[in-house]
Amino acid sequence: MEVVSKNKSNKAIKPTAIKMSGADAVIRSLIDHGVDYIFGYPGGANMPIYDSVYNMSDEITHVLARHEQGAIHAAEGYARSSGRVGVVFATSGPGATNLITGIADAHLDSTPLVCITGQVNANLLGSDAFQETDVTGITSPITKWNYQLTKKEEIVEVIAKAFYIASTGRPGPVLIDISKDIQFEEIEYELKKHEYIRSYVPYPKLNIEELKEAAELINSAKKPMIIFGQGVILSGAEKQLKELVEKADIPAANTLLGISALDTDHPNAVGMVGMHGNYAPNVLTNSCDVLIAIGMRFDDRITGDLNQYAKQAKVIHFDIDKSEFHKNVKAEVTVLGDAKATLTNVLDYIEKNNHSDWKAEFDKLEAIEKEEIWDKILKPSEGKITMAEVVRDVSKMTDGEAVVVTDVGQHQMFASRYSLFKQTKSFISSGGLGTMGFGLPAAIGAKLGAPNREVVSFSGDGGFQMTMQEFGTIMEYGVTVKQVVLNNGYLGMVRQWQDLFFDKRYASTPMMSPEFGKIAEAYGIEYKKVEKREDLQAALQEMLDCDKSYLLEVAVQEELNVFPMVPGGAAVTEVRLK
Ligand SMILES: Cc1ncc(C[n+]2csc(CCOP(=O)(O)OP(=O)(O)O)c2C)c(N)n1
């Protein structure tokens, strides 16, 4: 059975006034907000809502995950590949607390989610009732907004508000906790669009002075450098970024989540900044005269030691969230607004320029990185297969068109460094929270959010074992995900740190795995294991050609480290090549 979107509401909101139960109103609202998939898990406190899903199952599809964490990562993957809001259901108590990791993940990565949890009857609140947890209390620091619904009249409006808040401005997760009693009660359903909340200004008015100041600095810069983040993708500003990069001829580096906003092979693309980013953009962050940050937040994995970060540069910070300004890095000029709007408007003031000498400095350092690192891991003449080879081969074989999903660890860094991209929204990874177990469920959601694209998910043997039960979801819904497990027999990234900073004392990082082939077989998923380099390409081709889900296990070099590396707390110029 292949799962396809059933919601024919055409994403338009249709006002209707009709009597129905609170639970029916929840589902009707979702349908009218254009939701086609709900990822979730039922239980006592959301049973009426599930009964309504059953009623309206010809208009909306519920995807039953095998764990609420799987459901929420799937919703995140869906949101990231489709650019729409992901929707998750969980029951009260353990159902709700199982969502926490995913909510925190979505919060740090600005992923729009509407999470709907069931809650005990309103009259039992505060009595330590069965499966009662204070989920709005627990999630208040990790949601953009949350609300406990105990009044039936508020259901429709609060859901509309949730979609509005989750998807506008800087997106993020919201949570609505609905007491069970009002799910049964009858209400008058009439959907209204929510487009205004007092003191919430998701799209601030552009300030022309800021734009002019930014343009002036960019025009006069001799060594400008752009660092772009996921803000570009979230606002759909890829075209404007490219225009800016080309018109002013500026070298442009990406953060981990900025990957794929600009084609990897663009002549001005200089790779990734940060702990395992590329040598040139890391080192030259401390040589540029103007640093233009677009939709990124100067995370500590990007900056290393802030006291030694870009001190020589005048910083221009484009962001939609003004609390990001001067938070970590002091900016000379701040430009508040949605990246698409600010970049479109700043372009009017940007002069054509040429920075070939400056770009040549990047080329020089890139050549050093390639010689020191790339050749050894992309074309090794001996030893076991490397993670980098697998990632690069998949990119070549999919012509850079696949959606690459990763889990967390060394393979994530190899995937981010060696994948090639030609399309936006093509790299889905847990950035801010670094959540192991994210990969497989996120890949399921990513496929449902972008059904016409090939989705290839890379995991390590450790992270894969955290959520591999989601093979059950694949089995049930026939979602096609190509899952590659890069098996090094270790919790590789932690082992790398033990190697470099703990005298190779491998405490609890060697890890046994089950026979993955048997796991795959149990779920009816195709499987192959590759151990020899000469078999790799054929195995990858077989996986990519397969029209069903596939698990490919690759036995990779056990103790290979990811370089370059800016050690934690070091300056970006202290980036190590070995
Ligand atoms: C939920 C969670 N627990 C622990 C960690 C710490 N951690 C980061 S990477 C890593 C090792 C990952 O090992 P594996 O999944 O085998 O991938 P590899 O690094 O070998 O590619 C660990 C334990 C984490 N990021 N997330």
Side-chain angles (χ1 to χ4, degrees):
M1 177 187 67
E2 179 138 19
V3 66
V4 287
S5 172
K6 295 179 204 156
N7 189 346
K8 305 282 180 274
S9 70
N10 226 355
K11 323 298 173 218
I13 289 178
K14 287 180 282 181
T16 33
I18 180 167
K19 281 194 175 26
M20 60 177 76
S21 71
D24 276 353
V26 171
I27 305 304
R28 176 55 53 204
S29 294
L30 297 185
I31 293 167
D32 285 349
H33 281 285
V35 174
D36 43 14
Y37 294 106
I38 301 161
F39 302 90
Y41 212 93
N46 63 4
M47 281 185 68
I49 292 179
Y50 270 84
D51 195 56
S52 301
V53 173
Y54 192 75
N55 269 341
M56 295 179 228
S57 57
D58 55 342
E59 293 176 83
I60 196 161
T61 303
H62 179 269
V63 177
L64 176 68
R66 269 35 181 181
H67 187 292
E68 288 85 353
Q69 186 185 354
I72 191 161
H73 291 328
E76 291 181 89
Y78 171 90
R80 297 265 291 270
S81 74
S82 69
R84 298 171 61 197
V85 176
V87 176
V88 201
F89 283 179
T91 190
S92 65
T97 54
N98 275 349
L99 294 182
I100 301 299
T101 301
I103 297 175
D105 191 274
H107 186 60
L108 276 173
D109 284 353
S110 305
T111 305
L113 293 185
V114 170
C115 309
I116 298 181
T117 48
Q119 183 54 280
V120 300
N121 286 343
N123 65 337
L124 292 176
L125 280 168
S127 71
D128 292 339
F130 178 63
Q131 295 193 327
E132 180 190 0
T133 47
D134 175 10
V135 68
T136 47
I138 296 169
T139 59
S140 71
I142 50 169
T143 46
K144 192 171 169 191
W145 179 66
N146 71 19
Y147 193 79
Q148 186 170 69
L149 265 173
T150 54
K151 292 195 190 97
K152 63 176 183 178
E153 316 73 50
E154 291 185 342
I155 292 176
V156 180
E157 195 200 335
V158 164
I159 291 178
K161 197 167 169 181
F163 276 90
Y164 176 59
I165 294 175
S167 62
T168 52
R170 179 179 182 169
V174 304
L175 180 136
I176 310 169
D177 192 36
I178 311 182
S179 66
K180 189 172 179 180
D181 48 339
I182 64 164
Q183 298 174 30
F184 287 113
E185 288 171 18
E186 191 178 78
I187 66 157
E188 185 87 8
Y189 175 83
E190 184 172 8
L191 189 64
K192 294 193 186 77
K193 222 174 165 179
H194 209 104
E195 286 181 325
Y196 171 77
I197 296 170
R198 193 168 58 90
S199 77
Y200 174 61
V201 188
Y203 301 107
K205 197 166 170 305
L206 297 188
N207 179 329
I208 299 296
E209 284 318 304
E210 285 178 354
L211 292 166
K212 283 186 181 163
E213 267 180 67
E216 231 164 79
L217 260 185
I218 295 170
N219 291 336
S220 62
K222 297 279 171 284
K223 296 178 168 193
M225 172 175 163
I226 287 175
I227 302 180
F228 60 92
Q230 194 193 196
V232 172
I233 298 173
L234 290 168
S235 77
E238 295 89 344
K239 187 170 148 272
Q240 289 75 11
L241 171 69
K242 187 163 175 257
E243 264 178 62
L244 173 64
V245 161
E246 289 174 356
K247 194 169 177 188
D249 193 25
I250 305 175
N254 55 266
T255 66
L256 184 73
L257 295 194
I259 290 178
S260 84
L262 186 69
D263 290 0
T264 327
D265 67 357
H266 190 283
N268 288 55
V270 293
M272 184 166 75
V273 283
M275 185 171 272
H276 292 292
N278 294 97
Y279 188 52
N282 270 324
V283 168
L284 295 177
T285 297
N286 279 5
S287 300
C288 65
D289 59 356
V290 174
L291 183 62
I292 307 147
I294 307 172
M296 59 81 79
R297 60 187 173 87
F298 293 109
D299 169 86
D300 61 289
R301 280 292 196 263
I302 298 292
T303 63
D305 180 9
L306 278 170
N307 294 321
Q308 301 181 68
Y309 184 77
K311 288 295 171 203
Q312 79 299 336
K314 290 191 168 143
V315 174
I316 307 173
H317 198 170
F318 289 80
D319 209 283
I320 190 147
D321 181 353
K322 69 170 176 261
S323 69
E324 290 299 346
F325 293 149
H326 317 299
K327 185 179 89 178
N328 296 328
V329 171
K330 178 107 189 64
E332 206 76 19
V333 177
T334 58
V335 184
L336 182 64
D338 179 66
K340 189 170 182 173
T342 52
L343 293 186
T344 302
N345 283 281
V346 86
L347 273 163
D348 290 345
Y349 306 105
I350 296 290
E351 291 159 6
K352 259 184 107 46
N353 219 325
N354 179 318
H355 291 294
S356 357
D357 289 351
W358 167 231
K359 285 194 302 180
E361 292 189 37
F362 284 82
D363 295 341
K364 244 187 273 163
L365 296 186
E366 184 180 297
I368 295 174
E369 178 181 333
K370 284 191 163 156
E371 196 182 318
E372 291 277 334
I373 298 172
W374 290 40
D375 293 344
K376 289 178 203 137
I377 59 165
L378 284 174
K379 293 179 203 137
S381 48
E382 52 178 19
K384 281 189 162 177
I385 298 169
T386 68
M387 290 189 181
E389 283 176 276
V390 183
V391 162
R392 183 50 71 91
D393 281 353
V394 166
S395 263
K396 286 193 174 151
M397 291 163 123
T398 54
D399 201 19
E401 304 277 358
V403 178
V404 171
V405 182
T406 79
D407 208 81
V408 169
Q410 290 185 305
H411 66 278
Q412 174 189 32
M413 294 301 131
F414 282 117
S416 66
R417 291 177 46 77
Y418 298 105
S419 295
L420 310 167
F421 293 106
K422 284 191 184 158
Q423 257 196 73
T424 187
K425 297 195 182 73
S426 293
F427 185 74
I428 298 178
S429 192
S430 168
L433 198 66
T435 308
M436 282 174 73
F438 173 86
L440 176 63
I444 295 172
K447 181 66 185 179
L448 293 175
N452 298 323
R453 298 188 65 189
E454 179 88 82
V455 174
V456 182
S457 165
F458 293 102
S459 301
D461 41 313
F464 180 66
Q465 290 186 64
M466 282 200 175
T467 49
M468 66 183 177
Q469 79 283 351
E470 297 307 332
F471 267 177
T473 311
I474 288 184
M475 174 178 70
E476 186 151 349
Y477 297 92
V479 187
T480 307
V481 167
K482 308 297 166 65
Q483 174 64 50
V484 181
V485 171
L486 297 167
N487 192 346
N488 54 11
Y490 282 101
L491 297 173
M493 186 55 95
V494 180
R495 185 210 53 75
Q496 170 164 347
W497 282 60
Q498 290 169 334
D499 177 2
L500 300 175
F501 310 114
F502 290 84
D503 270 343
K504 275 191 190 284
R505 289 155 59 82
Y506 290 167
S508 299
T509 46
M511 187 184 226
M512 279 176 74
S513 288
E515 284 184 47
F516 288 124
K518 288 193 174 160
I519 303 272
E521 191 191 351
Y523 286 103
I525 288 170
E526 305 282 325
Y527 166 84
K528 188 161 252 175
K529 180 170 183 176
V530 188
E531 292 180 90
K532 293 200 193 104
R533 178 161 293 110
E534 57 267 32
D535 299 331
L536 178 63
Q537 301 239 344
L540 288 173
Q541 198 58 60
E542 186 179 313
M543 172 185 82
L544 294 169
D545 288 345
C546 181
D547 58 3
K548 292 197 249 92
S549 282
Y550 201 105
L551 173 63
L552 182 69
E553 179 183 357
V554 186
V556 293
Q557 284 189 27
E558 289 88 355
E559 295 188 48
L560 190 69
N561 290 340
V562 192
F563 285 108
M565 178 177 188
V566 181
V572 281
T573 40
E574 289 168 330
V575 52
R576 288 172 57 169
L577 289 169
K578 53 184 169 220

